Amino acid sequence: MTENPFFRPSTLDYELPPFAEIREEHYLPAYERGMAEQLAEIAAITADRALPTFENTLVALERSGELLRRVDVVFRNQSSSDTTDVLDEVEAKVSPLLAVHHDAIHLDRALFARIEELYRTRAGLGLDPESLRLLERRYGAFERSGARLGEAEQARLRGLNAELAALGTTFQQNVNAANRAAVLVLDSAAELAGLSEDAIAGAAENARVLGHEGKYVLSLQNTSGQPALAQLTDRSVRERLLAASLGRGIEQNGPIAIRMAALRAERAELLGHPSHAAYVVADETAGTVEAVSALLARLVGPAVANARREAAELARVAAADGVEEIAAHDWAYYSEKVRRESFQVDAAVLRPYFELERVLRDGVFFAANLAYGLSFTERPDLTAHHPDARVFEVFEEDGTALGLFIGDFHARASKRGGAWMDSLVEQSELTGQRPVVLNTLNIPRPAPGEPVLMSWDEVRTLFHEFGHALHGLFSRVRYPLFSGTAVPRDFVEFPSQVNEMWMVRPEVLANYARHHGTGEVLSPELVERITAAEGFGQGFRTVEYLAATLLDWAWHTVPKGEEITDAEEFEARALAAAGIAVDAVPPRYRTAYFQHIFASGYSAAYYAYIWSEVLDADTVQWFEGNGRPVRESGEVFRRELLARGFSRDPLESFRAVVGRAPETGPLLARRGLL
Ligand SMILES: [Zn+2]
């Protein structure tokens, strides 16, 4: 039998995981050995008879868990992007074990005693700023994890963490199952009127794969809104599609959400906070529940008013079809009509200008070259985690190799919805590792032989995720704890949002937006109309986002002991109380499929997107108005912010770029909320 490939560091370039050798049966033994190894490493730290030093305690801790990290990054990527029943089982087994493992380290009294001793004497240790920060952050993390609690409280905490981890996995697996179960099956192509021929062929193919030969199947994205709603002319089909989307998963996940909210509230109280939200934001740049609530409250009124103005405009157009009142399932459809009629922008006409390969190379990579001097070489000799995923080597302007970028762009049934970035290898001067980063998207596969044409939103997503990738690639820190995107959640979306600006920069757009058949460039007039049409949708987009945010906020500001009996009822009350209940604009995610907050680390942190956008809008304005060449601005942004990761206070990094504290004006202007 060959040895488990996780047991040794990879010998491939950049320590790229040896995907060609990894089998499903390798994960569980690697996890088990990885956790055992790290506990042994911790035991060696605490058994050291020498007095605690920064080296023998903090650095040793930072170096520990190498095998566990190796398997965990690969597994998390695999189970998100190409899962199987076996991987689902492994995940269900491993996630509570990981929670137990985390507690075993953070509730280790001997380890904490050493860290505390160093923390107490930190002023005299002669540490450089990044090392001092490592000590402070580690100390804080132990405190936040309950290191100071008594025995009985720690035992309760361990129980809460393990149960929450298991529930989070179940929630996610229920979402996946609900997405599969809630597809809309249609009998005739006529019901799909409005969709392109390609999309109809795709729905037929989808039906064949899912065992509904001769019918048509529309699959669901994980958001409330579904792309087909913008095109389907049959109102009743739209209604059924949206109902399938909004109704999925509630029986299974409603009770889980209730239980998780209760457990989180209890844990927060145990750790000295009035609510889970208070516990979470204490470690974010926002700092307090009040600060977040204040920003949200300031946005709700203008956003709702804006959405109502848009609804009136939609109603005017819909009246011609005999539609008296705009329902949620009408919104996207009539928005498209308004875009066509008022702005002369037609999504179907745009698509041919956004061919994936061109958008990637002549858009995303081109912009990274303009701003940062990067170049990219595909490495077909390196194997990624799936045949669809492509590996690129990234080079600096002077030819120095920087890292690897992996792109996994296409949707498949085994991939979870949405788009994200991951780090397979994190940059660290301590370990000598260079970054390997990954972007995952869900761009539908075209019919065989057809080009991959993207929507405007998909193009934006590609630029967005690549902004996260740059954050990982540019990391230049000593300690893995601070590497790349390891910043607070309410900061991490900021660099990725900033990267979206390149999508519409005239010199970039002109370079990539070319008709795939004729090579014709997207005309500047059309670009201007698109931008105007973008402004039109802001009311809807802001309200659906804020509704999801306030829903997250409601679930996680409940105090311990508050009884919730019905998740849907709770949701309705929460939205109404926050003033964000607009019938025709459902939240971007409803409770039952809100995986960000119940399955992936964004609990009480969904606000992070708009919080980050304050910094984003402000920075874009700085890029455009500072009078320096783009390449020079890029260098400042890279050096002072992207490269720093979490090795210094993120807001200090922001100030180092823009020259002052963030201001909300640019965001309000962008979102039409002034
Ligand atoms: Zn993002």
Side-chain angles (χ1 to χ4, degrees):
M1 215 175 94
T2 54
E3 200 198 22
N4 190 316
F6 289 114
F7 288 175
R8 267 166 228 295
S10 164
T11 54
L12 298 173
D13 287 0
Y14 300 89
E15 296 187 35
L16 178 70
F19 290 108
E21 295 166 39
I22 296 169
R23 305 277 172 271
E24 286 182 336
E25 60 270 25
H26 292 140
Y27 290 113
L28 201 53
Y31 265 117
E32 283 165 351
R33 189 190 284 199
M35 287 187 252
E37 261 185 19
Q38 189 171 25
L39 292 182
E41 287 159 348
I42 304 289
I45 296 173
T46 54
D48 194 338
R49 305 290 284 273
L51 286 174
T53 64
F54 183 76
E55 271 306 309
N56 75 18
T57 302
L58 268 302
V59 173
L61 182 59
E62 204 59 1
R63 284 187 191 280
S64 72
E66 208 189 300
L67 166 55
L68 181 57
R69 206 159 33 230
R70 273 202 301 272
V71 59
D72 194 45
V73 290
V74 173
F75 180 78
R76 277 190 290 105
N77 174 54
Q78 201 71 30
S79 64
S80 311
S81 67
D82 193 20
T83 198
T84 63
D85 290 345
V86 174
L87 295 188
D88 282 356
E89 274 171 41
V90 173
E91 190 176 6
K93 264 192 206 131
V94 161
S95 59
L97 292 180
L98 285 173
V100 169
H101 181 70
H102 179 272
D103 283 343
I105 295 171
H106 288 86
L107 304 180
D108 183 322
R109 295 198 186 277
L111 181 60
F112 183 58
R114 292 178 77 96
I115 294 173
E116 198 175 20
E117 170 62 16
L118 291 166
Y119 180 76
R120 212 176 43 77
T121 57
R122 65 192 182 284
L125 296 177
L127 297 174
D128 63 88
E130 189 179 340
S131 298
L132 179 61
R133 185 170 168 81
L134 180 72
L135 174 53
E136 289 169 348
R137 289 292 312 169
R138 277 287 179 207
Y139 174 76
F142 273 75
E143 264 203 321
R144 277 178 61 76
S145 301
R148 287 192 179 288
L149 298 180
E151 285 306 323
E153 290 163 310
Q154 286 195 348
R156 178 63 191 138
L157 184 62
R158 287 175 207 263
L160 289 168
N161 286 337
E163 188 179 350
L164 278 165
L167 287 171
T169 304
T170 310
F171 187 95
Q172 178 65 54
Q173 292 179 356
N174 287 346
V175 170
N176 299 347
N179 286 351
R180 287 192 292 268
V183 296
L184 187 62
V185 183
L186 298 161
D187 294 327
S188 70
E191 291 173 284
L192 296 175
L195 297 188
S196 69
E197 269 173 43
D198 278 0
I200 294 174
E205 170 63 11
N206 209 1
R208 197 187 58 72
V209 171
L210 296 172
H212 300 281
E213 189 91 39
K215 298 194 176 188
Y216 301 85
V217 167
L218 293 176
S219 291
L220 295 179
Q221 283 196 354
N222 67 320
T223 47
S224 294
Q226 301 298 321
L229 290 172
Q231 288 118 35
L232 289 164
T233 53
D234 187 329
R235 194 177 188 212
S236 69
V237 176
R238 291 201 303 266
E239 187 171 4
R240 284 163 62 197
L241 179 60
L242 187 64
S245 174
L246 296 177
R248 73 193 121 140
I250 188 67
E251 300 84 31
Q252 299 81 17
N253 276 348
I256 293 184
I258 290 172
R259 177 81 181 144
M260 289 183 80
L263 296 177
R264 283 169 172 167
E266 184 185 344
R267 180 173 62 184
E269 198 202 52
L270 204 55
L271 292 166
H273 296 270
S275 68
H276 180 67
Y279 171 69
V280 169
V281 296
D283 203 38
E284 298 285 325
T285 70
T288 63
V289 166
E290 291 68 30
V292 175
S293 297
L295 178 69
L296 297 178
R298 180 166 171 196
L299 301 176
V300 165
V304 169
N306 206 359
R308 294 207 193 285
R309 271 196 298 276
E310 288 176 6
E313 183 69 11
L314 300 182
R316 196 182 52 75
V317 175
D321 291 351
V323 172
E324 284 175 6
E325 202 179 331
I326 294 292
H329 52 267
D330 297 320
W331 196 292
Y333 181 75
Y334 288 104
S335 286
E336 274 308 306
K337 277 209 158 169
V338 168
R339 281 196 188 97
R340 279 198 299 273
E341 290 176 13
S342 307
F343 302 98
Q344 280 100 50
V345 174
D346 184 342
V349 174
L350 284 178
R351 260 177 196 276
Y353 290 89
F354 302 134
E355 192 265 316
L356 171 61
E357 200 59 25
R358 236 189 195 138
V359 176
L360 181 67
R361 290 184 186 271
D362 301 340
V364 173
F365 290 173
F366 176 75
N369 181 268
L370 272 188
Y372 310 109
L374 299 186
S375 62
F376 300 81
T377 307
E378 188 152 9
R379 292 280 308 265
D381 58 309
L382 294 175
T383 306
H385 58 283
H386 187 277
D388 279 357
R390 300 160 62 187
V391 185
F392 297 86
E393 188 166 11
V394 187
F395 297 94
E396 302 271 18
E397 197 156 43
D398 66 3
T400 312
L402 181 64
L404 294 179
F405 167 72
I406 301 174
D408 179 4
F409 301 119
H410 290 293
R412 51 181 168 262
S414 58
K415 199 187 260 189
R416 79 173 155 83
W420 62 92
M421 172 271 191
D422 239 324
S423 287
L424 292 178
V425 180
E426 285 180 336
Q427 178 277 337
S428 156
E429 285 166 5
L430 183 71
T431 62
Q433 287 174 316
R434 290 180 297 172
V436 177
V437 301
L438 194 146
N439 277 174
T440 307
L441 276 79
N442 266 290
I443 302 169
R445 218 172 235 309
E450 293 298 314
V452 184
L453 303 181
M454 302 164 73
S455 70
W456 182 257
D457 280 346
E458 286 163 351
V459 173
R460 191 204 322 274
T461 303
L462 194 63
F463 277 89
H464 175 98
E465 296 307 330
F466 195 73
H468 289 303
L470 288 174
H471 203 182
L473 285 166
F474 285 150
S475 176
R476 186 167 280 196
V477 302
R478 180 158 173 76
Y479 302 113
L481 187 70
F482 298 142
S483 191
T485 54
V487 294
R489 288 188 189 88
D490 67 3
F491 190 80
V492 75
E493 293 303 326
F494 154 49
S496 53
Q497 289 168 346
V498 166
N499 205 58
E500 293 175 25
M501 77 174 165
W502 301 110
M503 170 184 177
V504 290
R505 287 279 284 218
E507 69 270 40
V508 179
L509 194 66
N511 199 56
Y512 75 87
R514 285 164 181 268
H515 195 283
H516 75 96
T518 64
E520 178 205 347
V521 179
L522 199 64
S523 73
E525 296 77 34
L526 185 51
V527 173
E528 223 163 85
R529 295 204 302 271
I530 295 171
T531 319
E534 282 273 284
F536 174 75
Q538 286 295 355
F540 178 86
R541 273 197 293 278
T542 308
V543 169
E544 72 156 4
Y545 166 76
L546 286 176
T549 302
L550 288 156
L551 183 57
D552 170 31
W553 212 234
W555 277 113
H556 294 118
T557 45
V558 290
K560 181 190 165 189
E562 186 172 307
E563 195 86 22
I564 299 168
T565 48
D566 182 307
E568 282 194 293
E569 196 188 45
F570 176 82
E571 180 177 307
R573 256 190 296 123
L575 296 176
I580 196 79
V582 180
D583 282 345
V585 188
R588 188 169 164 77
Y589 301 96
R590 294 195 65 199
T591 299
Y593 48 90
F594 206 164
Q595 53 197 23
H596 285 81
I597 67 166
F598 293 111
S600 75
Y602 270 76
S603 60
Y606 200 65
Y607 79 92
Y609 291 90
I610 206 130
W611 193 269
S612 294
E613 202 181 329
V614 171
L615 308 181
D616 157 34
D618 214 358
T619 303
V620 169
Q621 205 173 64
W622 170 82
F623 254 102
E624 283 162 1
N626 68 21
R628 298 187 219 193
V630 163
R631 181 75 183 81
E632 210 177 282
S633 300
E635 214 47 45
V636 172
F637 190 58
R638 171 181 175 168
R639 186 183 62 237
E640 295 295 343
L641 199 135
L642 298 175
R644 304 285 178 147
F646 202 25
S647 68
R648 76 171 168 191
D649 180 328
L651 290 179
E652 199 180 319
S653 294
F654 176 90
R655 279 191 297 272
V657 173
V658 178
R660 54 162 172 75
E663 289 169 4
T664 50
L667 169 82
L668 299 178
R670 174 197 284 188
R671 291 242 171 197
L673 301 177
L674 280 175

